[in-house]
Amino acid sequence: MGRFAPSPSGPLHAGSLVSALASWLDARANNGRWLLRIEDIDSERCRPEYAEVIRRQLGALGLTWDADLPPQSRRRDHYREVIQDWLGQGLAYACACTRRDLSPFRRDGETCYPGTCRERRLEPQGQAIRYRLPDEAEVRFIDRRHGPQTQNVTAQCGDVVLRRRQGDYTYQFAVSVDDAEQGITHVVRGDDLLSSTGRQILLMRQLGHPPPTYLHHSLLIDADGHKLSKSTGADALDLTQPGAAIAAALRQLPLTLPDLASELPPQQLLDQALAAWTLLIQPSSGKMEL
Ligand code: GLU
């Protein structure tokens, strides 16, 4: 069971289409289901109208989904229960450190938490909540494109933030609870999330669920060498030419296609791509390990 999990902080752009397309192809080639989960947990950045736009965009491109998973904004009560449970068991704890307190521990855009509040037994009210990593927080997994991976979560980020001080649940926590509990078996997404995978696997194990398999595809890069993203102002997909949008996304995937004529109707391009992806994931192709 695969999923596409866009955050509705803007319409789909050429970069997010690659994730949608790759996860759709993978689910269809495995005769699996492809589910849509709107990740609107970040109330400041997300807007309901963008969720609608994304749904329309997917429909216009022929990327049909089998079912809607509950949007994350409707799962807050459940996330709260998980955190209560973990606090009760000592698996999570409250942290009063401010961004400023932690700035010396910030490197390459990521803060490695030094464990300041681990043993302080603070009241959770109005504080951030962190997951207490186990002593051996080294996670091994196989990425279907990159091969065997080892991530030491203690060295990467330390105890993982589950809820921010202002009350918002974090992406890392919400995505782990959802992928685990919604029975997702195949996650296909961009390389920018490869480094998050180890911590998500740890959280899923804590929830008592086996993690899915992962495939991280390469990212679309803009003319300045940056990842194409909403925050850097990527353009919304041009749906007057759905074939061109799909052909551009397909070029980003490791598929051998006879011809990526963008003037073909989207359905024809998708059929060709599905045949190529099916070949790609066959163990005998030797190209990509499942
Ligand atoms: N919601 C995340 C995003 O739009 C993707 C989450 C995921 O695929 O794990 O970037």
Side-chain angles (χ1 to χ4, degrees), residues 179-201:
D179 281 340
E181 295 181 351
Q182 293 165 349
I184 302 302
T185 55
H186 291 61
V187 169
V188 179
R189 60 187 182 187
D191 270 347
D192 51 335
L193 292 170
L194 179 62
S195 63
S196 292
T197 304
R199 65 198 77 167
Q200 294 177 10
I201 290 176

Side-chain angles (χ1 to χ4, degrees), residues 85-93 132:
D85 182 35
W86 286 4
L87 284 168
Q89 294 186 59
L91 295 167
Y93 63 91
R132 191 186 297 274

Side-chain angles (χ1 to χ4, degrees), residues 81-257:
E81 281 167 20
V82 174
I83 287 186
Q84 287 302 354
D85 182 35
W86 286 4
L87 284 168
Q89 294 186 59
L91 295 167
Y93 63 91
C95 168
C97 295
T98 60
R99 202 177 269 258
R100 186 134 156 237
D101 295 333
L102 297 178
S103 61
F105 304 98
R106 202 167 165 77
R107 231 157 270 120
D108 302 329
E110 173 133 83
T111 302
C112 186
Y113 184 65
T116 321
C117 296
R118 255 192 159 208
E119 310 306 334
R120 287 179 71 194
R121 297 174 184 278
L122 297 168
E123 279 300 318
Q125 202 68 24
Q127 309 289 11
I129 306 294
R130 290 182 183 269
Y131 173 67
R132 191 186 297 274
L133 288 180
D135 288 342
E136 290 300 319
E138 191 168 87
V139 183
R140 289 169 200 275
F141 63 95
I142 297 180
D143 180 90
R144 290 162 58 201
R145 187 167 78 95
H146 296 282
Q149 304 289 306
T150 304
Q151 293 182 359
N152 185 326
V153 184
T154 310
Q156 280 183 311
C157 61
D159 291 345
V160 182
V161 183
L162 307 176
R163 191 191 78 193
R164 296 204 185 81
R165 177 194 291 256
Q166 296 79 1
D168 271 343
Y169 299 99
T170 60
Y171 156 69
Q172 301 292 353
F173 174 58
V175 79
S176 307
V177 175
D178 287 359
D179 281 340
E181 295 181 351
Q182 293 165 349
I184 302 302
T185 55
H186 291 61
V187 169
V188 179
R189 60 187 182 187
D191 270 347
D192 51 335
L193 292 170
L194 179 62
S195 63
S196 292
T197 304
R199 65 198 77 167
Q200 294 177 10
I201 290 176
L202 280 182
L203 295 175
M204 285 189 246
R205 284 191 195 145
Q206 188 62 63
L207 290 159
H209 292 271
T213 62
Y214 289 92
L215 190 166
H216 290 87
H217 62 74
S218 62
L219 300 174
L220 268 178
I221 304 295
D222 67 17
D224 303 326
H226 299 118
K227 171 200 154 193
L228 218 60
S229 77
K230 286 164 231 170
S231 52
T232 56
D235 292 334
L237 285 174
D238 176 4
L239 289 183
T240 58
Q241 298 186 319
I246 289 181
L250 286 174
R251 283 191 202 101
Q252 194 62 18
L253 300 174
L255 297 176
T256 315
L257 290 166

Side-chain angles (χ1 to χ4, degrees), residues 4 6 10-17 20 50 53-55 57-58 61 63 230 234-238:
F4 177 51
L12 291 183
H13 52 75
S16 38
L17 178 58
Y50 288 134
V53 173
I54 291 172
R55 300 164 73 84
Q57 289 176 305
L58 291 172
L61 292 162
L63 298 174
K230 286 164 231 170
D235 292 334
L237 285 174
D238 176 4

